[in-house]
Short mmCIF file of all heavy atoms in Angstrom, two decimals:
data_model
loop_
_atom_site.label_atom_id
_atom_site.label_comp_id
_atom_site.label_asym_id
_atom_site.label_seq_id
_atom_site.Cartn_x
_atom_site.Cartn_y
_atom_site.Cartn_z
N VAL A 276 -2.99 -3.56 -20.26
CA VAL A 276 -4.06 -4.51 -19.94
C VAL A 276 -5.08 -3.88 -19.00
O VAL A 276 -6.30 -4.01 -19.20
CB VAL A 276 -3.47 -5.79 -19.32
CG1 VAL A 276 -4.59 -6.73 -18.86
CG2 VAL A 276 -2.56 -6.50 -20.30
N VAL A 277 -4.60 -3.19 -17.98
CA VAL A 277 -5.51 -2.60 -17.00
C VAL A 277 -6.36 -1.50 -17.64
O VAL A 277 -7.58 -1.44 -17.43
CB VAL A 277 -4.72 -2.05 -15.79
CG1 VAL A 277 -5.66 -1.30 -14.85
CG2 VAL A 277 -4.05 -3.19 -15.04
N ARG A 278 -5.74 -0.65 -18.44
CA ARG A 278 -6.50 0.45 -19.06
C ARG A 278 -7.55 -0.08 -20.03
O ARG A 278 -8.72 0.32 -19.98
CB ARG A 278 -5.56 1.39 -19.80
CG ARG A 278 -4.91 2.43 -18.92
CD ARG A 278 -4.38 3.60 -19.72
NE ARG A 278 -3.38 3.22 -20.70
CZ ARG A 278 -3.44 3.54 -22.00
NH1 ARG A 278 -4.46 4.22 -22.47
NH2 ARG A 278 -2.47 3.16 -22.82
N HIS A 279 -7.13 -0.98 -20.93
CA HIS A 279 -8.02 -1.38 -22.01
C HIS A 279 -8.99 -2.49 -21.62
O HIS A 279 -10.14 -2.49 -22.08
CB HIS A 279 -7.19 -1.82 -23.23
CG HIS A 279 -6.36 -0.72 -23.82
ND1 HIS A 279 -6.92 0.41 -24.38
CD2 HIS A 279 -5.02 -0.57 -23.91
CE1 HIS A 279 -5.97 1.21 -24.82
NE2 HIS A 279 -4.80 0.64 -24.54
N ASP A 280 -8.53 -3.42 -20.78
CA ASP A 280 -9.36 -4.59 -20.50
C ASP A 280 -10.00 -4.58 -19.12
O ASP A 280 -11.16 -4.97 -18.99
CB ASP A 280 -8.52 -5.86 -20.68
CG ASP A 280 -8.10 -6.06 -22.13
OD1 ASP A 280 -8.95 -5.86 -23.01
OD2 ASP A 280 -6.94 -6.41 -22.37
N VAL A 281 -9.26 -4.17 -18.08
CA VAL A 281 -9.88 -4.14 -16.76
C VAL A 281 -10.85 -2.96 -16.68
O VAL A 281 -12.06 -3.13 -16.44
CB VAL A 281 -8.83 -4.08 -15.64
CG1 VAL A 281 -9.53 -4.06 -14.28
CG2 VAL A 281 -7.89 -5.27 -15.71
N ILE A 282 -10.33 -1.75 -16.89
CA ILE A 282 -11.22 -0.58 -16.86
C ILE A 282 -12.22 -0.64 -18.01
O ILE A 282 -13.43 -0.45 -17.82
CB ILE A 282 -10.41 0.73 -16.93
CG1 ILE A 282 -9.67 0.96 -15.60
CG2 ILE A 282 -11.32 1.91 -17.23
CD1 ILE A 282 -8.88 2.24 -15.55
N GLY A 283 -11.73 -0.92 -19.21
CA GLY A 283 -12.62 -0.98 -20.37
C GLY A 283 -13.71 -2.02 -20.21
O GLY A 283 -14.88 -1.76 -20.49
N GLY A 284 -13.33 -3.19 -19.72
CA GLY A 284 -14.31 -4.25 -19.51
C GLY A 284 -15.32 -3.91 -18.44
O GLY A 284 -16.52 -4.20 -18.58
N LEU A 285 -14.85 -3.29 -17.36
CA LEU A 285 -15.76 -2.93 -16.27
C LEU A 285 -16.75 -1.87 -16.73
O LEU A 285 -17.94 -1.92 -16.39
CB LEU A 285 -14.96 -2.44 -15.06
CG LEU A 285 -15.78 -2.09 -13.81
CD1 LEU A 285 -16.60 -3.26 -13.32
CD2 LEU A 285 -14.85 -1.59 -12.70
N LEU A 286 -16.28 -0.91 -17.51
CA LEU A 286 -17.18 0.16 -17.96
C LEU A 286 -18.23 -0.35 -18.95
O LEU A 286 -19.34 0.18 -19.02
CB LEU A 286 -16.37 1.29 -18.59
CG LEU A 286 -15.60 2.17 -17.60
CD1 LEU A 286 -14.74 3.19 -18.33
CD2 LEU A 286 -16.55 2.87 -16.63
N VAL A 287 -17.89 -1.39 -19.71
CA VAL A 287 -18.89 -1.99 -20.59
C VAL A 287 -19.99 -2.65 -19.77
O VAL A 287 -21.18 -2.51 -20.06
CB VAL A 287 -18.24 -3.02 -21.54
CG1 VAL A 287 -19.30 -3.87 -22.24
CG2 VAL A 287 -17.36 -2.32 -22.57
N GLU A 288 -19.59 -3.37 -18.71
CA GLU A 288 -20.55 -4.08 -17.87
C GLU A 288 -21.30 -3.14 -16.93
O GLU A 288 -22.50 -3.29 -16.70
CB GLU A 288 -19.83 -5.16 -17.06
CG GLU A 288 -19.19 -6.26 -17.89
CD GLU A 288 -20.19 -7.24 -18.46
OE1 GLU A 288 -21.37 -7.16 -18.08
OE2 GLU A 288 -19.78 -8.08 -19.28
N GLU A 289 -20.57 -2.18 -16.36
CA GLU A 289 -21.16 -1.31 -15.33
C GLU A 289 -20.73 0.15 -15.56
O GLU A 289 -19.92 0.69 -14.81
CB GLU A 289 -20.73 -1.77 -13.94
CG GLU A 289 -21.14 -3.20 -13.61
CD GLU A 289 -20.86 -3.56 -12.16
OE1 GLU A 289 -19.72 -4.00 -11.89
OE2 GLU A 289 -21.76 -3.38 -11.32
N PRO A 290 -21.27 0.78 -16.57
CA PRO A 290 -20.85 2.16 -16.88
C PRO A 290 -21.10 3.14 -15.76
O PRO A 290 -20.43 4.18 -15.69
CB PRO A 290 -21.69 2.50 -18.13
CG PRO A 290 -22.82 1.53 -18.13
CD PRO A 290 -22.28 0.27 -17.51
N HIS A 291 -22.03 2.83 -14.87
CA HIS A 291 -22.33 3.74 -13.75
C HIS A 291 -21.18 3.84 -12.75
O HIS A 291 -21.19 4.72 -11.88
CB HIS A 291 -23.60 3.29 -13.02
CG HIS A 291 -23.48 1.94 -12.39
ND1 HIS A 291 -23.60 0.77 -13.12
CD2 HIS A 291 -23.22 1.56 -11.11
CE1 HIS A 291 -23.44 -0.27 -12.31
NE2 HIS A 291 -23.21 0.18 -11.10
N LEU A 292 -20.17 2.94 -12.87
CA LEU A 292 -19.03 2.97 -11.95
C LEU A 292 -17.93 3.94 -12.38
O LEU A 292 -16.92 4.07 -11.70
CB LEU A 292 -18.43 1.57 -11.80
CG LEU A 292 -19.29 0.53 -11.08
CD1 LEU A 292 -18.57 -0.81 -10.99
CD2 LEU A 292 -19.69 1.01 -9.69
N ALA A 293 -18.14 4.64 -13.48
CA ALA A 293 -17.11 5.57 -13.97
C ALA A 293 -16.67 6.59 -12.91
O ALA A 293 -15.46 6.81 -12.73
CB ALA A 293 -17.59 6.28 -15.24
N PRO A 294 -17.59 7.23 -12.17
CA PRO A 294 -17.14 8.17 -11.15
C PRO A 294 -16.31 7.51 -10.05
O PRO A 294 -15.37 8.13 -9.52
CB PRO A 294 -18.45 8.75 -10.59
CG PRO A 294 -19.44 8.57 -11.68
CD PRO A 294 -19.07 7.27 -12.33
N ASP A 295 -16.63 6.27 -9.71
CA ASP A 295 -15.85 5.56 -8.69
C ASP A 295 -14.45 5.24 -9.20
O ASP A 295 -13.47 5.32 -8.44
CB ASP A 295 -16.56 4.27 -8.28
CG ASP A 295 -17.80 4.52 -7.46
OD1 ASP A 295 -17.95 5.64 -6.94
OD2 ASP A 295 -18.62 3.59 -7.32
N ILE A 296 -14.34 4.84 -10.45
CA ILE A 296 -13.03 4.57 -11.04
C ILE A 296 -12.18 5.84 -11.02
O ILE A 296 -11.00 5.82 -10.65
CB ILE A 296 -13.17 4.02 -12.47
CG1 ILE A 296 -13.88 2.67 -12.45
CG2 ILE A 296 -11.80 3.89 -13.14
CD1 ILE A 296 -14.25 2.16 -13.84
N THR A 297 -12.79 6.95 -11.41
CA THR A 297 -12.08 8.23 -11.40
C THR A 297 -11.62 8.59 -9.99
O THR A 297 -10.48 9.03 -9.79
CB THR A 297 -12.99 9.35 -11.95
OG1 THR A 297 -13.49 8.96 -13.22
CG2 THR A 297 -12.22 10.65 -12.08
N PHE A 298 -12.50 8.39 -9.02
CA PHE A 298 -12.13 8.66 -7.64
C PHE A 298 -10.95 7.80 -7.20
O PHE A 298 -10.01 8.29 -6.56
CB PHE A 298 -13.32 8.42 -6.71
CG PHE A 298 -12.98 8.43 -5.25
CD1 PHE A 298 -12.51 9.59 -4.64
CD2 PHE A 298 -13.11 7.28 -4.48
CE1 PHE A 298 -12.17 9.60 -3.28
CE2 PHE A 298 -12.79 7.28 -3.13
CZ PHE A 298 -12.31 8.44 -2.53
N GLY A 299 -10.96 6.51 -7.55
CA GLY A 299 -9.85 5.63 -7.19
C GLY A 299 -8.54 6.07 -7.81
O GLY A 299 -7.48 6.03 -7.15
N LEU A 300 -8.59 6.49 -9.08
CA LEU A 300 -7.39 7.00 -9.74
C LEU A 300 -6.84 8.22 -9.01
O LEU A 300 -5.65 8.31 -8.72
CB LEU A 300 -7.73 7.38 -11.18
CG LEU A 300 -7.91 6.25 -12.20
CD1 LEU A 300 -8.70 6.74 -13.41
CD2 LEU A 300 -6.56 5.71 -12.64
N ASP A 301 -7.72 9.16 -8.69
CA ASP A 301 -7.28 10.43 -8.12
C ASP A 301 -6.93 10.32 -6.64
O ASP A 301 -6.00 10.99 -6.16
CB ASP A 301 -8.35 11.49 -8.35
CG ASP A 301 -8.46 11.90 -9.81
OD1 ASP A 301 -7.45 11.84 -10.52
OD2 ASP A 301 -9.57 12.26 -10.25
N ALA A 302 -7.66 9.50 -5.89
CA ALA A 302 -7.35 9.33 -4.47
C ALA A 302 -5.97 8.70 -4.29
O ALA A 302 -5.24 9.01 -3.34
CB ALA A 302 -8.42 8.47 -3.79
N THR A 303 -5.61 7.81 -5.21
CA THR A 303 -4.27 7.20 -5.16
C THR A 303 -3.20 8.27 -5.29
O THR A 303 -2.23 8.31 -4.52
CB THR A 303 -4.13 6.14 -6.27
OG1 THR A 303 -5.13 5.15 -6.10
CG2 THR A 303 -2.74 5.50 -6.22
N GLY A 304 -3.36 9.14 -6.27
CA GLY A 304 -2.40 10.23 -6.43
C GLY A 304 -2.36 11.15 -5.24
O GLY A 304 -1.28 11.61 -4.83
N TYR A 305 -3.52 11.42 -4.66
CA TYR A 305 -3.58 12.32 -3.51
C TYR A 305 -2.79 11.76 -2.32
O TYR A 305 -1.98 12.47 -1.71
CB TYR A 305 -5.04 12.54 -3.12
CG TYR A 305 -5.22 13.38 -1.88
CD1 TYR A 305 -4.95 14.74 -1.89
CD2 TYR A 305 -5.64 12.80 -0.68
CE1 TYR A 305 -5.09 15.52 -0.75
CE2 TYR A 305 -5.79 13.57 0.47
CZ TYR A 305 -5.52 14.92 0.43
OH TYR A 305 -5.66 15.69 1.57
N LEU A 306 -3.00 10.49 -2.01
CA LEU A 306 -2.30 9.91 -0.86
C LEU A 306 -0.81 9.70 -1.15
O LEU A 306 0.03 9.85 -0.25
CB LEU A 306 -2.94 8.59 -0.44
CG LEU A 306 -4.30 8.70 0.25
CD1 LEU A 306 -4.75 7.32 0.76
CD2 LEU A 306 -4.28 9.70 1.41
N GLU A 307 -0.48 9.37 -2.40
CA GLU A 307 0.93 9.22 -2.75
C GLU A 307 1.65 10.57 -2.67
O GLU A 307 2.81 10.64 -2.24
CB GLU A 307 1.07 8.63 -4.15
CG GLU A 307 0.76 7.15 -4.22
CD GLU A 307 1.77 6.29 -3.47
OE1 GLU A 307 2.95 6.68 -3.35
OE2 GLU A 307 1.36 5.21 -2.98
N ASP A 308 0.98 11.64 -3.04
CA ASP A 308 1.58 12.97 -2.92
C ASP A 308 1.80 13.33 -1.45
O ASP A 308 2.82 13.95 -1.10
CB ASP A 308 0.68 14.01 -3.58
CG ASP A 308 0.72 13.95 -5.09
OD1 ASP A 308 1.62 13.28 -5.64
OD2 ASP A 308 -0.16 14.57 -5.74
N ARG A 309 0.85 12.97 -0.58
CA ARG A 309 1.03 13.23 0.85
C ARG A 309 2.23 12.46 1.39
O ARG A 309 3.03 13.01 2.16
CB ARG A 309 -0.24 12.81 1.62
CG ARG A 309 -1.41 13.78 1.51
CD ARG A 309 -2.62 13.24 2.28
NE ARG A 309 -2.29 12.96 3.67
CZ ARG A 309 -2.34 13.85 4.66
NH1 ARG A 309 -2.72 15.09 4.42
NH2 ARG A 309 -2.01 13.49 5.90
N LEU A 310 2.36 11.21 0.99
CA LEU A 310 3.50 10.41 1.44
C LEU A 310 4.81 10.99 0.90
O LEU A 310 5.79 11.13 1.64
CB LEU A 310 3.34 8.96 0.99
CG LEU A 310 4.53 8.04 1.26
CD1 LEU A 310 4.89 7.98 2.75
CD2 LEU A 310 4.26 6.63 0.73
N GLY A 311 4.82 11.34 -0.37
CA GLY A 311 6.03 11.91 -0.96
C GLY A 311 6.47 13.18 -0.26
O GLY A 311 7.66 13.39 0.01
N ALA A 312 5.51 14.04 0.06
CA ALA A 312 5.83 15.29 0.76
C ALA A 312 6.42 15.01 2.14
O ALA A 312 7.36 15.69 2.58
CB ALA A 312 4.58 16.16 0.87
N ARG A 313 5.87 14.01 2.81
CA ARG A 313 6.36 13.64 4.16
C ARG A 313 7.80 13.13 4.09
O ARG A 313 8.65 13.55 4.89
CB ARG A 313 5.44 12.57 4.74
CG ARG A 313 5.97 11.85 5.99
CD ARG A 313 5.92 12.75 7.21
NE ARG A 313 6.32 12.01 8.40
CZ ARG A 313 7.59 11.79 8.76
NH1 ARG A 313 8.58 12.26 8.01
NH2 ARG A 313 7.86 11.12 9.87
N LEU A 314 8.09 12.26 3.14
CA LEU A 314 9.44 11.70 3.02
C LEU A 314 10.45 12.78 2.63
O LEU A 314 11.52 12.90 3.23
CB LEU A 314 9.46 10.57 1.99
CG LEU A 314 8.57 9.35 2.26
CD1 LEU A 314 8.74 8.32 1.16
CD2 LEU A 314 8.88 8.73 3.62
N LEU A 315 10.10 13.56 1.63
CA LEU A 315 11.05 14.57 1.13
C LEU A 315 11.28 15.69 2.14
O LEU A 315 12.40 16.20 2.24
CB LEU A 315 10.55 15.14 -0.19
CG LEU A 315 10.55 14.15 -1.37
CD1 LEU A 315 9.93 14.78 -2.61
CD2 LEU A 315 11.96 13.64 -1.66
N ALA A 316 10.26 16.04 2.90
CA ALA A 316 10.45 17.07 3.92
C ALA A 316 11.48 16.63 4.95
O ALA A 316 12.29 17.43 5.43
CB ALA A 316 9.11 17.38 4.60
N ALA A 317 11.46 15.36 5.30
CA ALA A 317 12.43 14.83 6.26
C ALA A 317 13.81 14.73 5.62
O ALA A 317 14.81 15.24 6.18
CB ALA A 317 11.98 13.46 6.76
N TRP A 318 13.90 14.11 4.45
CA TRP A 318 15.19 13.85 3.85
C TRP A 318 15.93 15.12 3.46
O TRP A 318 17.16 15.19 3.57
CB TRP A 318 15.01 12.97 2.62
CG TRP A 318 14.56 11.57 2.95
CD1 TRP A 318 14.64 10.94 4.18
CD2 TRP A 318 13.97 10.63 2.06
NE1 TRP A 318 14.13 9.67 4.09
CE2 TRP A 318 13.71 9.45 2.82
CE3 TRP A 318 13.61 10.66 0.72
CZ2 TRP A 318 13.12 8.32 2.24
CZ3 TRP A 318 13.03 9.54 0.15
CH2 TRP A 318 12.80 8.38 0.90
N ARG A 319 15.23 16.13 3.02
CA ARG A 319 15.90 17.35 2.57
C ARG A 319 16.48 18.16 3.72
O ARG A 319 17.26 19.09 3.50
CB ARG A 319 14.94 18.20 1.74
CG ARG A 319 14.76 17.63 0.32
CD ARG A 319 13.75 18.39 -0.49
NE ARG A 319 13.75 17.91 -1.88
CZ ARG A 319 12.69 17.88 -2.66
NH1 ARG A 319 11.51 18.29 -2.19
NH2 ARG A 319 12.77 17.44 -3.89
N THR A 320 16.09 17.81 4.93
CA THR A 320 16.70 18.44 6.11
C THR A 320 17.63 17.48 6.84
O THR A 320 18.07 17.75 7.95
CB THR A 320 15.61 18.94 7.08
OG1 THR A 320 14.77 17.84 7.47
CG2 THR A 320 14.75 20.00 6.42
N GLY A 321 17.91 16.34 6.19
CA GLY A 321 18.82 15.37 6.77
C GLY A 321 18.22 14.53 7.89
O GLY A 321 18.96 13.86 8.63
N GLU A 322 16.89 14.55 8.03
CA GLU A 322 16.23 13.81 9.10
C GLU A 322 15.66 12.49 8.58
O GLU A 322 15.40 12.32 7.39
CB GLU A 322 15.10 14.65 9.70
CG GLU A 322 15.58 15.93 10.37
CD GLU A 322 14.43 16.76 10.91
OE1 GLU A 322 13.27 16.36 10.71
OE2 GLU A 322 14.70 17.81 11.52
N SER A 323 15.44 11.57 9.50
CA SER A 323 14.84 10.30 9.14
C SER A 323 13.35 10.45 8.92
O SER A 323 12.68 11.24 9.60
CB SER A 323 15.09 9.27 10.26
OG SER A 323 14.37 8.07 10.01
N SER A 324 12.82 9.68 7.96
CA SER A 324 11.38 9.66 7.72
C SER A 324 10.68 8.62 8.58
O SER A 324 9.44 8.54 8.59
CB SER A 324 11.11 9.33 6.24
OG SER A 324 11.48 7.98 5.94
N LEU A 325 11.45 7.82 9.30
CA LEU A 325 10.90 6.72 10.09
C LEU A 325 10.57 7.17 11.51
O LEU A 325 11.24 8.03 12.08
CB LEU A 325 11.90 5.56 10.15
CG LEU A 325 12.29 4.94 8.80
CD1 LEU A 325 13.40 3.92 9.00
CD2 LEU A 325 11.09 4.30 8.12
N ARG A 326 9.55 6.55 12.09
CA ARG A 326 9.20 6.84 13.47
C ARG A 326 10.19 6.23 14.44
O ARG A 326 10.41 6.76 15.53
CB ARG A 326 7.79 6.30 13.76
CG ARG A 326 6.66 7.08 13.11
CD ARG A 326 5.33 6.37 13.30
NE ARG A 326 5.11 6.01 14.69
CZ ARG A 326 4.58 6.81 15.62
NH1 ARG A 326 4.25 8.05 15.29
NH2 ARG A 326 4.41 6.38 16.85
N THR A 327 10.74 5.09 14.09
CA THR A 327 11.78 4.44 14.90
C THR A 327 12.96 4.14 13.99
O THR A 327 12.76 3.78 12.82
CB THR A 327 11.27 3.15 15.55
OG1 THR A 327 10.83 2.24 14.52
CG2 THR A 327 10.12 3.43 16.49
N PRO A 328 14.18 4.27 14.47
CA PRO A 328 15.34 4.11 13.58
C PRO A 328 15.61 2.66 13.23
O PRO A 328 15.19 1.73 13.94
CB PRO A 328 16.49 4.69 14.42
CG PRO A 328 16.06 4.45 15.85
CD PRO A 328 14.56 4.64 15.84
#
Side-chain angles (χ1 to χ4, degrees):
V276 174
V277 174
R278 277 199 300 127
H279 297 297
D280 294 317
V281 181
I282 289 182
L285 183 58
L286 286 175
V287 168
E288 297 285 351
E289 301 187 273
H291 62 281
L292 292 181
D295 288 343
I296 296 171
T297 306
F298 169 64
L300 285 160
D301 290 330
T303 301
Y305 176 71
L306 288 187
E307 285 293 331
D308 286 347
R309 284 178 55 87
L310 174 58
R313 167 73 175 82
L314 299 182
L315 292 175
W318 292 342
R319 284 176 173 147
T320 58
E322 297 178 357
S323 173
S324 69
L325 300 173
R326 288 172 51 85
T327 58

